[in-house]
Amino acid sequence: MDEARERNLGDLPVLGEDPGRTYRLGIMGGTFDPIHNGHLVAAEQSRHDLGLDLVVFMPAGSPAFKQDLRVSSAEDRYAMTLLATADNPNFRVSRFEIERKGITYTVDTLSALRELYPDNVELYFITGADAIIDIVKWRDADRIAKLATLVGATRPGYNLDTAVDAIDRSGINFDVIYLEVPALAISSSHLRERCVAGQSLRYLTPDQVVGYIDKHGLYVSQRIA
Ligand code: NAP
């Protein structure tokens, strides 16, 4: 990888150094408000099952479909994501989408990553299968299809028909892999509701995240989201 390219990576990992092999980079896209064990298991399972070299958690700066909803600050979401992933050598966290001004569109992220990394680095965009149902409404969905393989993480018992139908009807040639992740019975909205109700978050998200939420008084009042 040439020096200029490496400099431009910022907090993104260097990958693709050996032109003789293919690398697989997972990009874990989400709002992470807050991050929880379901996200962590989904990332680890994706890494293992798809043979990813690394997974970069990328908290959305200003989530495209949540412009009318209350979302915790990007800095809080970033800090919790850092705390949650710190002990896994295969995980990274990037401020890439947080630093970009304006609404966060996945196509902008993937296009930029495609330019930053050499061709021997394949991109895998991992997110919830529920988010993927709406992908045809995402900006430049057809370009996204050319830039990355999509990984839709689902909870057990999740009916894939809606997601599969939405993709089929789009007429866009998405490459989608669905992964069933038992721990995704946990959701961020459930954690927020538990906070409002004064219930414990222990064992649903790492202790460090529980501590951060307590210390900063996140999610204590009723939310719109
Ligand atoms: P969301 O609509 O809040 O999430 C839908 C479902 O997917 C929820 O059940 C959610 O659970 C789950 N989920 C979200 N991220 C996940 C992940 N990484 N792994 C496993 N499950 C996940 O989705 P969002 O968080 O706002 O957006 C997800 C990603 O899609 C982000 O990277 C976002 O930027 C991108 N996106 C892009 C566009 C666009 O470009 N126009 C539009 C929408 C979304 P939790 O609530 O528990 O996470």
Side-chain angles (χ1 to χ4, degrees):
M1 181 177 267
D2 63 65
E3 250 179 64
R5 216 173 208 171
E6 211 171 307
R7 259 198 318 274
N8 290 335
L9 285 174
D11 67 358
L12 291 165
V14 173
L15 211 60
E17 312 90 313
D18 177 357
R21 67 163 276 213
T22 300
Y23 297 78
R24 295 178 163 194
L25 177 62
I27 301 121
M28 185 74 173
T31 304
F32 304 127
D33 192 19
I35 190 162
H36 52 68
N37 289 345
H39 296 130
L40 297 168
V41 175
E44 183 65 4
Q45 195 171 315
S46 303
R47 187 189 69 75
H48 177 268
D49 291 5
L50 306 177
L52 306 178
D53 290 278
L54 287 170
V55 178
V56 178
F57 285 69
M58 200 169 282
S62 177
F65 287 176
K66 294 187 174 157
Q67 295 298 301
D68 301 332
L69 301 175
R70 266 174 60 193
V71 173
S72 301
S73 76
E75 292 305 335
D76 279 335
R77 293 182 288 108
Y78 171 74
M80 291 188 282
T81 306
L82 262 188
L83 289 169
T85 55
D87 64 354
N88 188 326
N90 300 307
F91 289 173
R92 303 282 189 281
V93 184
S94 174
R95 299 179 60 85
F96 201 68
E97 291 190 337
I98 293 175
E99 299 294 344
R100 200 167 63 225
K101 298 265 176 291
I103 298 175
T104 306
Y105 293 110
T106 299
V107 68
D108 296 337
T109 304
L110 293 176
S111 309
L113 294 181
R114 192 58 286 159
E115 286 199 5
L116 283 169
Y117 286 102
D119 290 345
N120 62 335
V121 177
E122 296 174 347
L123 304 178
Y124 289 76
F125 186 76
I126 311 160
T127 194
D130 275 335
I132 286 185
I133 289 175
D134 282 334
I135 197 159
V136 285
K137 298 183 206 148
W138 294 13
R139 177 175 280 191
D140 293 337
D142 51 337
R143 272 180 63 210
I144 292 177
K146 294 194 182 101
L147 290 163
T149 298
L150 303 174
V151 183
T154 69
R155 68 194 87 87
Y158 182 92
N159 186 347
L160 279 176
D161 292 353
T162 316
V164 172
D165 278 2
I167 298 278
D168 281 355
R169 273 186 282 108
S170 74
I172 301 172
N173 198 14
F174 291 106
D175 184 7
V176 193
I177 298 168
Y178 293 100
L179 281 190
E180 190 175 285
V181 181
L184 276 180
I186 304 172
S187 72
S188 298
S189 56
H190 180 56
L191 264 65
R192 296 194 300 265
E193 283 162 20
R194 289 181 70 88
C195 277
V196 172
Q199 293 167 340
S200 168
L201 300 190
R202 285 198 80 180
Y203 313 119
L204 297 171
T205 187
D207 286 349
Q208 294 86 338
V209 175
V210 178
Y212 188 96
I213 291 171
D214 281 349
K215 182 172 173 180
H216 295 270
L218 302 185
Y219 316 121
V220 281
S221 59
Q222 193 62 52
R223 299 167 48 100
I224 305 159

